[in-house]
Amino acid sequence: MYFRPRLIPCLSITNRELVKTTKFKTPKYIGDPINAVRIFNEKGVDELCILDIRATIENREPDFDYLSDIASEAFVPLSYGGGIKTIEQIKKLFYIGYEKIIINSSFVNNPTLIKEAVDFAGAQSIVVSIDVKLDFFKNRVSYIKSGTIRVDEGPIELAKNAEKIGVGEILLNSINNDGLMQGYDLDLVKQVSESINIPVIACGGAKDIIDAKKVIEEGKAHAAAASSMYIYYGRQKAVLITAPTEQELIDIGLYKFEY
């Protein structure tokens, strides 16, 4: 038996530019998203996650024309999140080539939309994103609208609600760890993963594939999403889009055969 957890590059875009944030703030221009997608095609990654980090804040719908351009260049499965408010938008995203839809703010503001989406596309195609930040008292609290609005429910409660509605996966983001390249919030990921029976994709803080291994083995995540580790190289954080090889993942014991 071959154990092969998913490693997912997560690309943040705004105004048709590829950017990288730190703690969900100060987006830094990195390059052209379509060029990045082409490179990841060559690297043979499992899938790609595209997030428009300003769409909801700016109260605009997904940029369908540009997202269609991205999809036409991608030879791997795509997921998308950002600015989604209606079932018509969701259907259009599937139509132009996206296999999974990621929903954050609308999950809290309009859970009926999630039910509609699951009924239309199936649980495996709908992902709820939960963004988490530590408050002054070190409690983990949940946010929507790109980390700008706090909600009453904590991450575990939101994850359980998403599972009840019927979504297929949770994308769990640590706002505190975003962009720091100091590792995932393992405690957060483990707590949420052990509270539900659907897969959790961990995101926020990965420096390298060792961090990915830790969040899967120690945090009990089903998949590891990351941005910085695929975009930056070296101490000076030079921009170099890359991905680990299959052999590198086998060598560290992340991919392995089980007899």
Side-chain angles (χ1 to χ4, degrees):
M1 181 179 177
Y2 191 33
F3 176 68
R4 191 181 190 281
R6 290 173 296 151
L7 301 183
I8 307 169
C10 194
L11 305 181
S12 299
I13 63 172
T14 183
N15 298 319
R16 301 190 173 188
E17 296 179 343
L18 180 65
V19 298
K20 184 67 197 81
T21 58
T22 300
K23 296 187 176 183
F24 278 33
K25 297 179 180 179
T26 59
K28 177 183 178 182
Y29 173 76
I30 297 298
D32 174 34
I34 291 179
N35 184 56
V37 169
R38 290 171 180 158
I39 295 173
F40 283 124
N41 283 336
E42 297 172 0
K43 300 296 182 181
V45 299
D46 297 314
E47 59 187 90
L48 283 174
C49 170
I50 310 294
L51 299 176
D52 187 330
I53 62 173
R54 298 291 301 175
T56 299
I57 292 175
E58 295 172 359
N59 195 31
R60 56 177 172 79
E61 69 174 6
D63 185 347
F64 292 108
D65 288 341
Y66 191 64
L67 292 173
S68 180
D69 291 341
I70 290 175
S72 69
E73 294 289 343
F75 302 142
V76 298
L78 290 173
S79 58
Y80 171 80
I84 300 169
K85 291 184 178 181
T86 70
I87 191 65
E88 288 75 23
Q89 292 170 338
I90 290 171
K91 290 179 179 179
K92 190 169 183 178
L93 288 164
F94 284 126
Y95 177 76
I96 64 176
Y98 289 78
E99 284 82 3
K100 294 181 181 180
I101 306 302
I102 302 170
I103 301 175
N104 171 251
S105 299
S106 289
F107 168 60
V108 173
N109 296 330
N110 183 18
T112 301
L113 173 64
I114 312 302
K115 294 179 181 178
E116 287 184 81
V118 170
D119 289 343
F120 172 75
Q124 75 286 346
S125 297
I126 306 301
V127 181
V128 160
S129 174
I130 300 175
D131 300 335
V132 184
K133 183 164 63 174
L134 294 172
D135 67 9
F136 180 78
F137 301 102
K138 303 299 181 181
N139 298 310
R140 292 185 174 91
V141 295
S142 307
Y143 282 76
I144 59 173
K145 208 169 184 178
S146 293
T148 61
I149 296 179
R150 178 173 174 170
V151 298
D152 293 334
E153 299 86 351
I156 291 176
E157 185 178 356
L158 285 179
K160 289 181 176 179
N161 290 343
E163 183 178 25
K164 288 178 183 176
I165 291 175
V167 304
E169 290 182 318
I170 300 295
L171 175 62
L172 185 62
N173 296 289
S174 169
I175 298 175
N176 294 87
N177 291 32
D178 172 56
L180 296 185
M181 301 182 74
Q182 296 176 359
Y184 294 92
D185 185 339
L186 297 179
D187 289 338
L188 168 67
V189 177
K190 185 176 182 180
Q191 288 173 19
V192 174
S193 296
E194 292 182 340
S195 71
I196 56 177
N197 296 307
I198 58 175
V200 171
I201 305 168
C203 191
K207 176 184 178 182
D208 51 33
I209 54 176
I210 300 300
D211 286 334
K213 182 181 180 182
K214 283 183 179 180
V215 81
I216 289 167
E217 294 184 350
E218 300 176 28
K220 309 302 181 184
H222 287 73
S227 179
S228 297
M229 74 176 246
Y230 292 102
I231 291 173
Y232 292 134
Y233 176 79
R235 293 182 179 180
Q236 302 302 318
K237 292 188 175 181
V239 176
L240 177 65
I241 295 175
T242 187
T245 65
E246 197 91 352
Q247 189 59 52
E248 287 174 323
L249 299 173
I250 292 171
D251 289 344
I252 68 163
L254 187 55
Y255 291 177
K256 53 191 173 184
F257 291 98
E258 296 179 351
Y259 297 97

